[in-house]
């Protein structure tokens, strides 16, 4: 019965993790007159003040009187759509078939301004490819592998570019200048916005999953923290063995035809194990440090550990943060695996020691 209860709790954690990964990115920062979901839509007869979206796709068929900021998905301004302010986007692709009265700043896979598309301000883009068939009433700074100017394109100001410029260069009323720095420096305001928003999302999801782990498995979680504190070297070595050995095993399974489904399932399970290992590692190290000053609150340790871990990713020297995060992963993964193995052994011993009752089909003497 105990094993079934633990399994059901583990299923809850896995399901919540999947839901958080698939839904939260699309809704965590969506603010458009109450609309949320995988696709955020401003309908043709709808007007909103501003739009901030994280994840999924953004479609503007109506009017946004202010700015549009989108991260993590495709953005499309339809030919009936109008953005009164600026458009800032980082993600898959940006298509402007309507009107953007302000500036456009984008770091995406592609930028397309169709024949019906108009940008009232400047365009700053760092993209894989850019296709301009519409109108840009200001200057344009575009860094892309390929920049194509269509026959109907019109750029009222100057064009600074980095990449292969193709098509109708007569569409540029001002000067055309090649600038190799644009491939790196273009759209500087988008990258910090995207990275900070993504970091906030990851922290929120980690806090959610960590809270579920502590609530559903309090004794097991405390045991993980104790193993890190009492045997960090052993936990680290076990974590290293799992980190190296499991991928080798999965590759070996994938070589055989019958093992491919198992390798796929195993890969998913291993990714989930690494994720939980990172959460437990940060929790365990924070719990140990807090215990040195007389604080033994597991919830405080969870918050402190995850916030500190997120802050490591913002260090100006990423190598230091990466090294610390790897150490945290090895400790948490090793302690987690040790705990799971210990739990399995204890359950097996209880099963072996359970007394066997009389056979109900065997007659008994009075």
């Amino acid at each position: 019965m105990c094993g079934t209860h633990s399994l059901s709790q583990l299923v809850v954690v896995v399901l919540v993790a999947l839901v958080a990964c698939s839904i939260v990115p699309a809704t965590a920062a969506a603010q458009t007159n109450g609309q949320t979901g995988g696709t955020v839509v401003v309908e043709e007869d709808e007007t909103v003040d501003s739009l901030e979206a994280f994840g999924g796709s953004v479609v503007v068929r109506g009017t946004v009187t202010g700015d549009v900021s989108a991260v993590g998905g495709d953005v499309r301004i339809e030919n009936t759509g109008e953005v009164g302010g600026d458009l800032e986007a980082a993600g898959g692709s940006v298509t402007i078939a309507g009107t953007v009265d302000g500036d456009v700043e984008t770091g995406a896979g592609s930028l397309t301004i169709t024949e019906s598309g108009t940008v009232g301000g400047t365009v700053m883009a760092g993209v894989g490819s850019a296709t301009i068939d519409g109108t840009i009433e200001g200057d344009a700074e575009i860094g892309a592998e390929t920049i194509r100017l269509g026959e109907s394109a019109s750029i009222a100001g100057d064009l600074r570019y980095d990449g292969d410029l193709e098509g109708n260069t007569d569409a540029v009323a001002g000067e055309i200048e090649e600038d190799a720095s644009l491939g790196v420096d273009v759209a500087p305001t988008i990258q910090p916005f995207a990275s900070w928003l993504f970091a906030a999302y990851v922290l929120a999801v980690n806090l959610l999953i960590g809270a579920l782990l502590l609530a559903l498995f309090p004794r097991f979680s405390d045991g993980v923290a104790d193993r890190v504190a009492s045997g960090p070297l052993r936990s680290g070595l076990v974590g290293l063995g799992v980190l190296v050995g499991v991928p080798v095993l999965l590759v070996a399974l994938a070589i055989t035809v019958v093992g491919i489904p198992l390798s796929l399932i195993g890969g998913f399970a291993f990714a989930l194990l690494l994720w939980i290992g990172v959460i437990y590692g940060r929790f365990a190290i924070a719990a140990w440090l807090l215990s040195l000053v007389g604080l033994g609150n597991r919830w405080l340790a969870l918050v402190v550990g995850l916030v500190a871990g997120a802050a490591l990713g913002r260090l100006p020297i990423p190598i230091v943060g990466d090294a610390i995060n790897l150490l945290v992963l090895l400790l948490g993964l090793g302690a987690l695996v040790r705990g799971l193995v210990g739990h399995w052994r204890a359950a097996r011993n209880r099963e072996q020691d359970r007394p066997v009752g009389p056979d109900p089909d065997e007659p008994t003497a009075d």
Side-chain angles (χ1 to χ4, degrees):
M1 182 68 68
C2 179
T4 303
H5 182 60
S6 298
L7 180 60
S8 64
Q9 290 179 333
L10 181 59
V11 170
V12 170
V13 173
V14 172
L15 289 177
V16 171
L18 292 175
V19 170
C21 286
S22 60
I23 295 180
V24 174
T27 62
Q31 298 176 354
T32 169
N33 201 23
Q35 295 187 46
T36 59
T39 300
V40 180
V41 181
V42 179
E43 296 293 353
E44 189 170 345
D45 57 350
E46 185 178 8
T47 300
V48 299
D49 294 336
S50 63
L51 172 61
E52 295 182 2
F54 182 36
S57 300
V58 174
V59 179
V60 178
R61 301 190 181 105
T63 301
V64 180
T65 58
D67 299 335
V68 173
S69 299
V71 176
D74 298 335
V75 177
R76 182 174 180 86
I77 312 299
E78 300 282 5
N79 55 4
T80 58
E82 180 177 357
V83 177
D86 300 332
L87 169 62
E88 297 182 350
S93 65
V94 175
T95 302
I96 301 174
T99 301
V100 177
D101 293 335
D103 300 330
V104 172
E105 298 183 0
T106 178
S110 65
L111 168 66
T112 302
I113 302 178
T114 69
E115 293 184 16
S116 60
T118 299
V119 177
T122 63
V123 172
M124 297 179 64
V127 293
S129 63
T131 302
I132 311 298
D133 288 310
T135 301
I136 300 174
E137 297 179 355
D139 299 328
E141 298 181 359
I142 302 174
E145 293 182 4
T146 303
I147 305 164
R148 191 186 68 82
L149 302 180
E151 291 300 322
S152 60
S154 174
I155 300 177
D158 299 332
L159 171 62
R160 293 174 58 221
Y161 74 96
D162 179 25
D164 295 330
L165 181 61
E166 303 174 351
N168 179 25
T169 56
D170 292 336
V172 183
E175 297 181 355
I176 299 177
E177 177 188 357
E178 185 174 6
D179 186 345
S181 67
L182 291 182
V184 177
D185 299 331
V186 75
T189 62
I190 289 294
Q191 296 171 4
F193 171 72
S195 61
W196 277 105
L197 194 55
F198 182 73
Y201 154 67
V202 172
L203 175 60
V205 174
N206 284 344
L207 285 171
L208 174 62
I209 301 304
L212 283 173
L213 291 171
L214 295 190
L216 296 176
F217 311 105
R219 293 179 58 187
F220 181 85
S221 300
D222 289 342
V224 170
D226 291 340
R227 289 182 182 90
V228 170
S230 61
L233 180 59
R234 182 179 179 185
S235 294
L237 291 176
V238 171
L240 180 61
V242 173
L243 186 64
V244 174
V246 172
V248 172
L249 177 61
L250 293 176
V251 171
L253 281 174
I255 293 176
T256 64
V257 176
V258 294
I260 291 178
L262 292 177
S263 67
L264 294 176
I265 297 173
F268 170 79
F270 182 57
L272 185 62
L273 187 70
L274 292 178
W275 184 9
I276 295 177
V278 169
I279 294 175
Y280 266 141
R282 294 175 179 178
F283 159 72
I285 292 177
W288 172 67
L289 293 175
L290 289 175
S291 68
L292 298 179
V293 294
L295 296 176
N297 189 301
R298 64 165 67 97
W299 298 103
L300 178 61
L302 177 68
V303 173
V304 170
L306 293 182
V307 170
L312 282 174
R314 313 303 305 176
L315 286 177
I317 306 177
I319 296 178
V320 176
D322 292 341
I324 296 176
N325 280 326
L326 176 60
L327 178 61
V328 170
L329 168 62
L330 294 179
L331 291 173
L333 181 62
L336 172 61
V337 170
R338 289 175 60 195
L340 291 174
V341 172
H343 181 75
W344 173 75
R345 287 176 176 173
R348 186 184 63 176
N349 292 336
R350 286 195 300 269
E351 187 69 24
Q352 292 176 347
D353 295 341
R354 181 179 299 172
V356 179
D359 188 345
D361 295 331
E362 183 180 342
T364 57
D366 291 336

